[in-house]
Amino acid sequence: MTLVAMPVYDGAMLFEAAIALEIFGVDRSHLADPWYEFAVCGPQDARLGGLLRVDTPRGLDVLAHADTVIVPSCDDIEADPPEDLLDALRDAYRRGARIASLCTGSFVLAAAGLLDGREAATHWWHAARLAERYPHVRVNADVLYTHDGQLLTAAGKAAALDLSLHLVRLDHGTAVANALARILVVPPHRAGGQAQYIAAPVPARSGDGFADLQDWALDRLHEPLTVQDLAGRAGMSTRHLTRLFHQSTGLTPLRWLHAQRIRRAQELLETTDTPVERIAVHTGMGTATTLRRHFSRAVGVPPDTYRRTFRGGQNSS
């Protein structure tokens, strides 16, 4: 029987911890026998979610024997995690345990130094802060979860469920994971590379001279804009524009344009019944085939699936 240990501490969040308990801590031997042995460990009477005190009959020493360690999210990403927890996680990693973080639990793994040089996910709302605070971590703000050797990280909230089912799929196979998903009344599989459902932001006005250029381009997304068009509008060479634009936005002009076209398509899919063919024209993608290809690559699901998610199953082309 595989031992799954979940350390809890003051500041650990309830929602993601409950997901781990539901997946690994409920007897599912009718699906696979043996199932998991699940242990909650940590200091006595740790407060979970700021509401509940947890009975933790086992201390952090259980991590020394765990096959899998699940680190729940934390409510304060600026707080330093308990040092004894960080030490226990480092020891578990050196011993070869599989370690997974849920949502902002990635901040705990990063604080332990386990994510240095590795790709990691977290809730998109906190991704920029994770990258800023731990610059050696390769933060991916888009995906639902990452799997890099012994280390796995889930993005925000419900992505903890996707990662947990991924672990079950690895341990017991697709049929068992799908059967568990049916019991939980959730989709059987959302691939880790699927994008988080991030609200399309309005480009910030940076005050560096590119805000007006960005506004001009956003009004013309339906046109086949080129770097030459943007450079001409800005009154500079394409090379100079590309260098300054990258300094300002972190993207090349063409990648920025592409991102805005995808975001405009998301907005139209979420808020209108405009057919996909017309959305392709409005966003400068040209054809529905081109839009579907680029949208699926960027967001992780086709436009029609994305629309059904946000429009309650209304018809699309």
Side-chain angles (χ1 to χ4, degrees):
M1 182 177 292
T2 301
L3 173 59
V4 177
M6 181 176 68
V8 295
Y9 52 93
D10 284 338
M13 298 294 286
L14 178 61
F15 181 77
E16 293 81 0
I19 287 176
L21 173 62
E22 181 67 28
I23 296 292
F24 303 105
V26 175
D27 182 12
R28 311 283 185 187
S29 54
H30 62 288
L31 298 179
D33 191 13
W35 194 241
Y36 299 94
E37 178 187 356
F38 185 73
V40 177
C41 58
Q44 276 293 326
D45 295 327
R47 189 179 292 275
L48 191 61
L51 298 172
L52 306 176
R53 292 201 177 276
V54 182
D55 180 19
T56 51
R58 306 177 73 172
L60 291 175
D61 58 308
V62 74
L63 300 190
H65 310 289
D67 301 287
T68 298
V69 177
I70 305 291
V71 180
S73 57
C74 56
D75 64 350
D76 185 358
I77 61 173
E78 302 299 337
D80 293 327
E83 193 60 40
D84 58 346
L85 172 59
L86 300 182
D87 288 339
L89 290 173
R90 296 183 190 109
D91 290 342
Y93 176 78
R94 284 192 290 266
R95 188 180 47 79
R98 183 173 63 179
I99 303 177
S101 67
L102 307 180
C103 194
T104 53
S106 54
F107 282 82
V108 179
L109 297 193
L114 300 182
L115 296 181
D116 287 355
R118 296 181 180 271
E119 183 182 31
T122 194
H123 194 293
W124 61 267
W125 187 267
H126 301 295
R129 181 56 180 148
L130 180 63
E132 179 183 26
R133 188 171 183 187
Y134 301 102
H136 296 298
V137 179
R138 295 188 287 112
V139 179
N140 191 332
D142 296 326
V143 299
L144 292 180
Y145 58 84
T146 66
H147 186 170
D148 191 340
Q150 295 171 235
L151 299 170
L152 303 94
T153 59
K157 298 301 177 184
L161 187 55
D162 296 293
L163 177 56
S164 297
L165 287 172
H166 173 66
L167 292 173
V168 173
R169 191 176 300 108
L170 292 174
D171 295 337
H172 297 291
T174 299
V176 170
N178 289 352
L180 177 55
R182 284 193 293 272
I183 292 172
L184 300 175
V185 198
V186 297
H189 183 219
R190 290 198 300 171
Q194 179 175 323
Q196 299 185 58
Y197 289 130
I198 303 173
V202 176
R205 300 187 66 87
S206 57
D208 58 7
F210 284 114
D212 289 340
L213 178 62
Q214 290 171 336
D215 289 343
W216 179 85
L218 289 172
D219 288 337
R220 293 163 176 80
L221 288 180
H222 59 285
E223 299 178 7
L225 295 175
T226 65
V227 177
Q228 289 78 9
D229 295 329
L230 295 174
R233 176 69 182 182
M236 61 182 68
S237 69
T238 57
R239 183 175 180 178
H240 190 51
L241 171 74
T242 299
R243 182 173 62 84
L244 294 181
F245 202 93
H246 190 274
Q247 289 177 356
S248 174
T249 67
L251 299 171
T252 66
L254 284 183
R255 288 191 65 184
W256 181 86
L257 273 174
H258 183 72
Q260 301 315 312
R261 288 188 165 113
I262 295 297
R263 287 167 177 161
R264 179 69 57 81
Q266 287 178 290
E267 179 184 357
L268 292 171
L269 288 166
E270 292 176 24
T271 61
T272 75
D273 296 316
T274 305
V276 172
E277 288 79 4
R278 294 301 303 163
I279 292 177
V281 173
H282 291 325
T283 58
M285 294 288 186
T287 67
T289 299
T290 301
L291 173 61
R292 287 190 174 98
R293 182 174 68 252
H294 288 295
F295 193 93
S296 296
R297 185 178 302 160
V299 181
V301 295
D304 307 278
T305 301
Y306 187 88
R307 169 169 272 165
R308 284 194 296 271
T309 301
F310 287 96
R311 299 282 289 170
Q314 297 183 35
N315 291 330
S316 61
S317 65

